[in-house]
DNA sequence: TCAATGTGTGACATTGGTGTGAGGGTCAAG
DNA sequence: CTTGACCCTCACACCAATGTCACACATTGA
């Protein structure tokens, strides 16, 4: 697929798709005319990238952890450096913290909305 | 307490504390000499703000939802506008999405690290 | 063929969170 | 009284993600 379709399917500005490629987060082939051509799996990839960006990870880190999140992990297993392991462990822990923070605040908002809805019904 | 102590207790640059105040996220009194003076509860407040920033919420949104996360919710219940409710519901849903994303990726990284550690033990 | 749409590159602007430094008060300890 | 640590404001700089615009070429459909 070409960049326009990928853009629609991922609800992502074309500008950003090119940016993600520049940052090494996604890959494209080129058609004879120079147009970018994407394989289907890139759709999921982009969605994953966007999700990680949304939760505050910079592209630098995303680029590092993405390969480890592929189903074809086996390929990468032998090449892992201690340095990489450290990064992954740190990110894993940071993610756990974020999950905790989000969960707490999510519940607080839910509770609040719940209370408000009762208030309305009572008035 | 003065800004230096708050900075230490929250592990937050003084610069940022003043910024958060400018954005209306925290409050300070002023001592006779012009120094900022904070009440104890601000420590938790700052930690909460930082957590929310880390998970990608902009100060604009944080400012809106913070009042609803206080324990003294009752005070705010009567003043809630439909507009505010909408914002809260949207943020609640976005948080849920983020939690899902983080959970998924957290598990993936954990699994990966697990696999790697086995690999190492086997070699 | 012409117009509209899609794509390419490149450059500049913007935004939000953050860093940093200048220049100047406050205050406590030596 | 002076020094050092702390505080004030203000301004400029930075970075990463994103928006926007200009200009050129490709594709497609009327």
């Amino acid at each position: 697929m070409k960049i326009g379709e990928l853009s629609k399917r991922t609800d992502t500005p074309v500008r950003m798709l090119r940016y993600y490629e520049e940052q090494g987060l996604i890959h494209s082939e080129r058609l004879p005319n120079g147009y970018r051509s994407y394989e289907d799996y890139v759709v999921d990839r982009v969605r994953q990238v966007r999700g990680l960006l949304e939760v505050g990870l910079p592209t630098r880190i995303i680029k590092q952890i993405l390969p480890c999140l592929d189903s074809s992990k086996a390929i990468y297993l032998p090449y892992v450096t201690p340095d990489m392991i450290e990064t992954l462990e740190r990110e894993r822990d940071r993610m756990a913290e974020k999950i905790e923070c989000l969960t707490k605040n999510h519940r607080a908002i839910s509770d609040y909305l719940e209370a408000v809805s009762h208030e309305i019904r009572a008035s």
Side-chain angles (χ1 to χ4, degrees), chain A residues 5-23:
Chain A
E5 189 184 342
L6 181 60
S7 170
K8 269 170 206 146
R9 284 172 60 179
T10 60
D11 195 32
T12 303
V14 167
R15 169 74 171 86
M16 286 302 99
L17 295 174
R18 295 200 265 247
Y19 176 68
Y20 298 153
E21 179 174 335
E22 187 182 303
Q23 301 303 307

Side-chain angles (χ1 to χ4, degrees), chain A residues 93-108:
Chain A
D93 294 347
R94 287 174 59 85
M95 281 185 180
E97 284 171 24
K98 289 179 179 185
I99 290 171
E100 198 184 346
C101 172
L102 278 167
T103 302
K104 201 183 300 181
N105 285 287
H106 180 270
R107 182 184 319 280

